[in-house]
Amino acid sequence: MEFPWNPDISDPRKLHNNYVRNLITCYISKYSELSEAIKYSIDSQNYLVYALSGRALIEITSTLRYYVFTQYKPLFDKGSFSKDDFKKLIDIDDRHLRGGRFDWNSFIFKQYKKLQEEALKQLQSKKKKQKYIAEHIIQDQVNVMTCVEKWAEKSPEILFIYNLFCDLVHPNIGSSFLVASTNSSGLHFSKYRGDRVALPIFEQSFPLLLSSTHKPFGDFLVMLMATVWQDDELK
C-alpha cells in the first residue's frame, strides 16, 4: 500500500487522510525492514542485530500506540470537529509524521559547524535543566520513553520487555552476553569458543518480543486507519 505525499490543504479531512496514509505506509515499511533484519540475524546467529532490531520494533509500536490512544482517540471520541479541533488534528499528524530531534537541514547541507554549535547549546541547556530545540526542527517528536511508559501504565510487562532489549543493546552485561560463549575452560567474550550464551536468551526473549510487537502493531495500525474519512464522507 503506497500513497504519494500530495497534501490537499483545501479540506482538513483530506489533508488528514493524506498524512495517515503516508504514516501507515511508513510504519509498514519500517516494520518490514526490521522484521527482515531479525530473520537474518536469527539465520546467521547474529543476536546483537536481533536485539537492536527488536528494540526498534518495540519503540515503533509504542510510538504508534501513543499517538492512537493519547492523541487521536480523544479528538475522534468527540464525534464532531470544530475549527480548533481540525487545527489540532493536523498538528498531531504533522508531529507524528515529521517530528524529530535532529537538525536534518544542517546535516543535508553539510553545515557541520552549525551542528556542533547546536550540540554545545544542547549540553548547556541540559545543565540548566532546560530543553533545547534546534532551529530547523519542524516538530519536536515525543520522547520514546514517554510512549513506552504510557503503554506500561496499562500493560506493565511492556516496560520490563523494553528494559530487557535495552540492556541487550547498550554497552552493558546484556549485550556482552550476546557475543559470549562457554566451554570447559570457562566463559569467553567471543561467540566462537563454544556454546553460545545468546541462544537461551534469544529463545526466552523472542516470544516476549512477538507478544509486545507484531500483534499489537497490527491492532494499533487498524485503529489509525479507522481515522481516515471515506470518500462518501467527503462529499
Side-chain angles (χ1 to χ4, degrees), residues 87-125:
K87 186 178 182 301
K88 185 176 181 181
L89 176 64
I90 299 307
D91 188 61
I92 291 168
D93 288 332
D94 197 53
R95 187 185 189 196
H96 194 178
L97 182 63
R98 300 199 297 162
R101 297 195 166 194
F102 182 74
D103 183 356
W104 283 100
N105 186 81
S106 296
F107 176 77
I108 291 169
F109 291 102
K110 300 180 180 180
Q111 297 173 341
Y112 301 123
K113 185 177 180 181
K114 182 172 175 51
L115 288 169
Q116 289 178 329
E117 291 171 352
E118 288 176 345
L120 288 173
K121 289 178 182 177
Q122 181 181 346
L123 290 171
Q124 291 166 359
S125 297

Side-chain angles (χ1 to χ4, degrees), residues 59-72:
E59 291 179 345
I60 288 171
T61 306
S62 298
T63 301
L64 173 58
R65 184 196 179 279
Y66 175 86
Y67 274 98
V68 166
F69 281 94
T70 72
Q71 303 297 299
Y72 292 116

Side-chain angles (χ1 to χ4, degrees), residues 6-189:
N6 186 26
D8 181 353
I9 63 173
S10 66
D11 186 334
R13 298 171 300 173
K14 292 181 180 179
L15 182 55
H16 168 74
N17 284 1
N18 194 250
Y19 269 110
V20 169
R21 285 165 176 156
N22 279 274
L23 278 162
I24 290 168
T25 303
C26 188
Y27 270 117
I28 291 173
S29 296
K30 291 177 183 178
Y31 234 79
S32 176
E33 289 207 15
L34 288 168
S35 297
E36 287 177 10
I38 287 177
K39 182 180 182 304
Y40 162 78
S41 68
I42 295 170
D43 292 341
S44 60
Q45 296 187 333
N46 190 334
Y47 295 111
L48 194 56
V49 172
Y50 154 73
L52 286 161
S53 301
R55 187 181 73 157
L57 283 179
I58 297 170
E59 291 179 345
I60 288 171
T61 306
S62 298
T63 301
L64 173 58
R65 184 196 179 279
Y66 175 86
Y67 274 98
V68 166
F69 281 94
T70 72
Q71 303 297 299
Y72 292 116
K73 192 175 184 300
L75 273 178
F76 280 87
D77 281 351
K78 289 184 175 183
S80 60
F81 281 73
S82 66
K83 185 177 180 180
D84 287 342
D85 288 335
F86 275 121
K87 186 178 182 301
K88 185 176 181 181
L89 176 64
I90 299 307
D91 188 61
I92 291 168
D93 288 332
D94 197 53
R95 187 185 189 196
H96 194 178
L97 182 63
R98 300 199 297 162
R101 297 195 166 194
F102 182 74
D103 183 356
W104 283 100
N105 186 81
S106 296
F107 176 77
I108 291 169
F109 291 102
K110 300 180 180 180
Q111 297 173 341
Y112 301 123
K113 185 177 180 181
K114 182 172 175 51
L115 288 169
Q116 289 178 329
E117 291 171 352
E118 288 176 345
L120 288 173
K121 289 178 182 177
Q122 181 181 346
L123 290 171
Q124 291 166 359
S125 297
K126 191 171 183 179
K127 288 179 181 178
K128 297 176 182 177
K129 296 184 178 179
Q130 298 173 345
K131 187 173 182 179
Y132 175 74
I133 300 175
E135 178 185 350
H136 294 297
I137 292 179
I138 300 169
Q139 288 275 14
D140 182 37
Q141 186 59 279
V142 62
N143 189 296
V144 71
M145 201 65 217
T146 299
C147 301
V148 172
E149 290 175 348
K150 202 70 180 176
W151 191 1
E153 289 175 6
K154 299 291 184 182
S155 304
E157 68 276 7
I158 295 300
L159 186 55
F160 94 71
I161 295 170
Y162 182 64
N163 288 341
L164 165 65
F165 275 83
C166 284
D167 210 70
L168 292 174
V169 168
H170 293 159
N172 298 339
I173 187 63
S175 59
S176 299
F177 280 149
L178 295 185
V179 297
S181 59
T182 59
N183 58 26
S184 58
S185 63
L187 175 68
H188 303 267
F189 288 104

